[in-house]
Amino acid sequence: MESKNIFILKDLDNLNKLSYHSYDPEVLFLINSIKNKAKGIILDKLSEDITYGSGKWELRTTDYVPETFPKRIKLLQISNISENGEIIETERDKYIPLELHEKWKTSKVRKGDLIVAITGTLGRIALFNQDYEANLNQALGIIRLKKEYEGIKIIPEYIHLYLNSYYAIEQFMRFGGFRAGQSGLSLDEIGSVYVILPKEDEQKRIIEEINKIRKEAISHFDKYIEYSNKSKNIVQEILNIPIPNEDERIFIYSEKFKKRIDVPYNSPFLKRLLNSIKKNKHDELNKLLKEAENKFIFSDFYNVIDLDNIDENLSEIKDWEEVKVLNSTKTVFKKNNLLVSKMGGEKGNIILIDEKYDGFLGSGELVPFELREESPVSLEYLFYVLRSPYISKQMEYSLSGCSRMRISNEEMKILSIPLPKDEKQEKELINLVRELRKKAISEKEQYLLKKQGVYDKFKDLLKKYL
């Protein structure tokens, strides 16, 4: 039986929030303990400024410039904050011209700033220790800390750990974790979080102890990413079909380009890649798979998987949500469906459905396919090949649209799929990918254990103040 926290609100005339989560007695007790017993200080008093991207309401797709643009400035996004709370580079990095960076003065990022996600996943916070200049997009905010507070030095590394800890996350969730739409935080809410601020020596001791565990966690995470990438790239090693170099980006206009006029689709690289695949055994996706026609069945509740619930590294479902009302068109999943996302498929949003997720619903971006009876290869083989650079590159160069680029169903169906020379090669590929995925999953499990260890250790280290 599900346990429930029952509590009664007596002063209904003075509610400042409608959500009952805001009045959870356990969270209110925690905040009261931090405030009074630990002499907690609100983050606003520890900060010079808490702000969000200056161009929040005026940034347009046309404002972006390529990485090769002279005097370009990186525009940080949520994707630039790793699961470990570090600033990382991604294939989706965005840049703006220097003029906009100078115009948006308040969101210029400085070394030592804390970069916080104000929409979407709460608790996504990174310490910016990079040496380059940067600005923010609309989903991020800056917490710029003071040097000290009432004679106590404020160490950014400590505040970073604290804001990713139980003590801050519970407060963040109370403020913005249960909103009707997308979860998020206002600047005032961020500034209202109570912080336990020990003396400088104690902050340093806590950082040292936590960093020992974090180092182990990050090591497992790096290995998890390494094995995940190998599980995609090993396909090329087994099939031994060369992928051309992408360095050449010369584009010559031709009147022959009648189907589409966008540069990536007509790039020399895509043509060379397709030629390389077609010199070997291959077939189009729609000759191997057919789009599934799964019936929608009305129910009292639905299990829903969104794109954010998919692990792009291993192409696995990591979470889902149970809902009573559907707010948009959904895709129905059935066992042995192979789902390919129109948006993000090139990054790994591809899932093979097993019996556990039979009958689930998902984003309308996910296109369900099933194996044709006459297909010469297995569904598992196709799942692994669709995650490989052979297909991800075809999808990447076939995307269309501006701000939310996606591949159309028609383009998806004509993707060129390399096939194995024989059953022996197919079996070898499947076995090697299985082994690499098994190692990746093991490293991910170890990472999650160590990550929880960081969370638990920090919580224990501050218990003495409460």
Side-chain angles (χ1 to χ4, degrees):
M1 184 175 176
E2 184 183 358
S3 63
K4 298 181 184 297
N5 290 331
I6 299 173
F7 52 98
I8 299 169
L9 301 177
K10 294 182 179 179
D11 190 6
L12 297 178
D13 293 330
N14 292 312
L15 295 180
N16 57 12
K17 283 183 177 292
L18 293 176
S19 168
Y20 70 85
H21 297 284
S22 301
Y23 304 94
D24 185 326
E26 291 184 13
V27 179
L28 292 177
F29 179 79
L30 172 67
I31 293 171
N32 188 60
S33 296
I34 295 172
K35 180 181 176 181
N36 296 312
K37 289 186 180 179
K39 296 182 172 54
I41 309 139
I42 59 171
L43 187 58
D44 192 56
K45 289 186 177 180
L46 302 179
S47 306
E48 285 183 15
D49 195 15
I50 300 176
T51 187
Y52 53 63
S54 305
K56 181 170 182 173
W57 309 116
E58 56 181 288
L59 182 65
R60 300 167 305 220
T61 305
T62 52
D63 290 326
Y64 298 130
V65 296
E67 187 176 359
T68 53
F69 192 83
K71 297 183 180 179
R72 86 301 186 256
I73 299 294
K74 181 174 283 190
L75 189 76
L76 296 176
Q77 311 164 87
I78 288 180
S79 58
N80 290 117
I81 302 178
S82 75
E83 292 184 36
N84 300 311
E86 299 173 314
I87 296 292
I88 57 171
E89 294 182 356
T90 77
E91 293 179 355
R92 294 169 275 176
D93 282 356
K94 295 282 193 300
Y95 299 89
I96 56 172
L98 182 62
E99 305 88 80
L100 284 180
H101 178 59
E102 295 298 341
K103 178 182 177 184
W104 299 337
K105 295 182 185 300
T106 57
S107 55
K108 285 184 176 182
V109 182
R110 298 181 195 166
K111 199 166 187 176
D113 283 349
L114 294 172
I115 311 300
V116 54
I118 57 178
T119 62
T121 307
L122 301 186
R124 204 73 177 261
I125 302 168
L127 177 61
F128 188 82
N129 270 331
Q130 277 59 28
D131 292 320
Y132 57 78
E133 290 190 72
N135 217 293
L136 305 176
N137 79 349
Q138 71 276 14
L140 297 176
I142 291 174
I143 301 170
R144 183 161 294 144
L145 299 168
K146 294 176 180 176
K147 298 295 182 187
E148 62 175 45
Y149 175 79
E150 293 187 353
I152 300 175
K153 185 178 179 181
I154 301 171
I155 303 176
E157 288 82 0
Y158 169 79
I159 302 297
H160 179 223
L161 289 173
Y162 184 90
L163 295 181
N164 280 290
S165 77
Y166 159 79
Y167 300 102
I169 296 297
E170 288 295 312
Q171 296 182 67
F172 285 147
M173 290 299 292
R174 173 180 177 256
F175 284 134
F178 301 97
R179 292 200 159 115
Q182 189 180 42
S183 58
L185 297 165
S186 71
L187 301 183
D188 287 340
E189 287 168 341
I190 294 170
S192 300
V193 168
Y194 280 93
V195 177
I196 300 171
L197 185 69
K199 300 292 185 183
E200 180 184 347
D201 287 349
E202 180 67 2
Q203 290 181 59
K204 288 179 178 178
R205 188 183 72 81
I206 290 171
I207 292 168
E208 187 177 349
E209 286 203 40
I210 294 298
N211 279 345
K212 289 176 186 176
I213 310 174
R214 282 189 81 242
K215 188 176 179 181
E216 293 178 23
I218 290 169
S219 175
H220 285 296
F221 182 81
D222 290 343
K223 287 178 183 175
Y224 153 60
I225 296 298
E226 179 186 342
Y227 285 126
S228 297
N229 289 336
K230 280 184 178 179
S231 73
K232 297 176 184 179
N233 297 327
I234 195 72
V235 174
Q236 184 184 349
E237 291 183 31
I238 301 301
L239 296 182
N240 199 26
I241 300 172
I243 292 179
N245 196 315
E246 281 185 273
D247 290 343
E248 186 183 328
R249 296 185 180 273
I250 299 170
F251 175 79
I252 303 172
Y253 173 76
S254 170
E255 291 183 359
K256 294 178 182 178
F257 302 153
K258 294 179 181 178
K259 185 177 178 181
R260 282 172 54 171
I261 61 170
D262 49 311
V263 171
Y265 188 79
N266 293 288
S267 71
F269 168 76
L270 181 56
K271 291 178 182 178
R272 292 198 305 272
L273 173 61
L274 292 173
N275 286 338
S276 182
I277 292 172
K278 289 175 181 178
K279 286 177 183 177
N280 298 272
K281 198 173 178 182
H282 73 281
D283 217 333
E284 289 185 351
L285 183 140
N286 65 346
K287 301 286 182 62
L288 306 166
L289 298 168
K290 61 180 179 180
E291 196 167 344
E293 297 179 359
N294 301 326
K295 269 190 177 180
F296 176 84
I297 299 174
F298 287 96
S299 176
D300 293 332
F301 68 90
Y302 307 93
N303 291 319
V304 176
I305 296 166
D306 208 342
L307 295 185
D308 291 339
N309 302 131
I310 299 172
D311 176 355
E312 294 177 354
N313 297 303
L314 284 174
S315 299
E316 288 189 329
I317 296 167
K318 57 185 179 182
D319 199 6
W320 69 85
E321 184 181 4
E322 186 180 294
V323 301
K324 291 185 177 180
V325 180
L326 300 175
N327 55 14
S328 61
T329 303
K330 301 296 181 186
T331 299
V332 183
F333 306 161
K334 291 293 179 184
K335 181 183 175 183
N336 291 330
N337 278 177
L338 189 52
L339 306 177
V340 183
S341 180
K342 291 182 281 188
M343 188 167 65
E346 77 284 358
K347 301 182 187 78
N349 283 348
I350 298 169
I351 322 165
L352 183 57
I353 298 298
D354 59 24
E355 56 191 15
K356 180 179 178 181
Y357 301 107
D358 187 59
F360 276 48
L361 305 181
S363 166
E365 297 289 343
L366 294 164
V367 182
F369 291 97
E370 58 187 14
L371 192 68
R372 290 187 181 274
E373 289 183 10
E374 64 274 21
S375 176
V377 288
S378 67
L379 196 61
E380 187 176 7
Y381 171 87
L382 290 172
F383 174 49
Y384 296 153
V385 169
L386 285 172
R387 297 177 68 249
S388 74
Y390 292 122
I391 310 306
S392 63
K393 288 299 178 185
Q394 286 184 64
M395 294 181 76
E396 180 185 340
Y397 280 77
S398 299
L399 297 174
S400 59
C402 296
S403 58
R404 293 171 68 82
M405 298 181 73
R406 50 175 56 81
I407 185 171
S408 67
N409 288 34
E410 292 70 29
E411 294 289 354
M412 196 182 289
K413 290 174 181 177
I414 62 171
L415 291 169
S416 289
I417 312 296
L419 298 176
K421 294 175 183 177
D422 49 36
E423 288 184 10
K424 183 180 177 182
Q425 190 180 51
E426 178 182 354
K427 188 175 180 180
E428 180 189 9
L429 186 149
I430 288 173
N431 288 337
L432 281 171
V433 176
R434 279 181 184 172
E435 189 61 32
L436 287 167
R437 286 173 64 83
K438 185 179 177 181
K439 289 179 179 179
I441 290 168
S442 175
E443 292 296 341
K444 183 179 181 181
E445 288 171 351
Q446 290 300 313
Y447 159 69
L448 292 174
L449 282 173
K450 292 295 181 182
K451 185 179 180 182
Q452 184 62 41
V454 169
Y455 191 78
D456 294 341
K457 183 67 175 178
F458 192 90
K459 184 178 177 181
D460 288 343
L461 288 170
L462 292 191
K463 269 185 179 177
K464 64 182 181 182
Y465 294 98
L466 300 176

